[in-house]
Amino acid sequence: MPDDPDIWLHIIYGFLHDISIAVYLGGAVAMEFVLGPAQAAIPPAQAQVMGQKTADRFLWLVWGSLSLILVTGFLRLEHMGMAMWHWPFFQTPGGLSESYGRTLLGMILLWCVLAINGALITWYFRPRLQGKLGTQTSAAHVTAAQTAKMAAATWVQRLTRIDLVVAVVIALMGASLKWGGLI
Amino acid sequence: MDTLLGWLHAMAWAVYVGGALTMEWVLRYAQREMPGPQVGVVCKNAGMRYRWLALACLAVIGVTGAWMLLRLDEAGLLARPGAPMLSLSDSYGRTVLLLTAAWGLLLATVAFMAFVLHPAQRKRSKPEMTKDEVAAERQRVGRAISRMDKALKFELLLAVVSVGIGASLHAGGLI
């Protein structure tokens, strides 16, 4: 066992970073290829309840892991002497003059895409899926509400798939860092 | 080639461990609100799919891990922080061995769940069965479900610990 607390810190940051990436990526794959098809095997009304419950819970995991990825990623870089808490934040080889730094920047930008998509799903599209209709609602309103819900559901599905592809690309870029970067 | 192998290895670990955590945290939570028969249908469907996904991921982890190990050379290792060695006299080598053992145990656990525990949960009831036989069959299925539950928790814990062991390799090893 290492007796240097500094090494332990390095291991803990690495572990938390890896586990958050695993939760995000593995969770997205499980939601798309395991829970989605399993949902189709039960009656639509129950499938809707299940979909809502699983998505509610999964969004907590998404935001938790996205936050941990950013924090532990920066802490790891700082620990390795590539980042600092003041401008310009990154230093060699984390600077833009080297492939390592450019790959890091690419990963940070793609992380922002994941965060924006997550925010759109959580605070824009999902509330539109949950609206209930009153008893006095006219047929035209019901049709309009159903069309809006269908459109929101389609967008949630599209954004989820985009997120999955982006996360896979980030993983590729992350793996390349060990050998100096990708771009 | 090294980047591709590292990416495939990390992806397989992520899909496997993240999938296991999601099944435990998300599916188990959603099941609480569902009627009993539908829990059975969803569990059977999701469980079967996830087992095959997990087995595929563990196979990819094994192949890419062994490949990366074969591509390791002394010069490459010496260039890493702490200059680790792939030998049992060095912490790096011992940690690689521990990780390999954990992978083997995970593979055995997932295979046991897929080929023994999952089929054992199927109810085998026939119209000519007596009340006692039906009760005994229910008890057997109940025991199989309980064993599956224990196996799932063990698998999840071991998978998370394995990620920690793997993360320690960047710092020269754990044991």
Side-chain angles (χ1 to χ4, degrees), chain A residues 14-33:
Chain A
F15 169 66
L16 288 175
H17 195 69
D18 292 352
I19 209 87
S20 339
I21 293 167
V23 166
Y24 189 91
L25 200 53
V29 169
M31 289 293 283
E32 185 71 28
F33 300 106

Side-chain angles (χ1 to χ4, degrees), chain A residues 114-129:
Chain A
L114 294 182
I116 292 168
N117 283 354
L120 281 173
I121 291 173
T122 311
W123 291 294
Y124 186 77
F125 291 114
R126 273 188 53 77
R128 273 159 180 72
L129 284 173

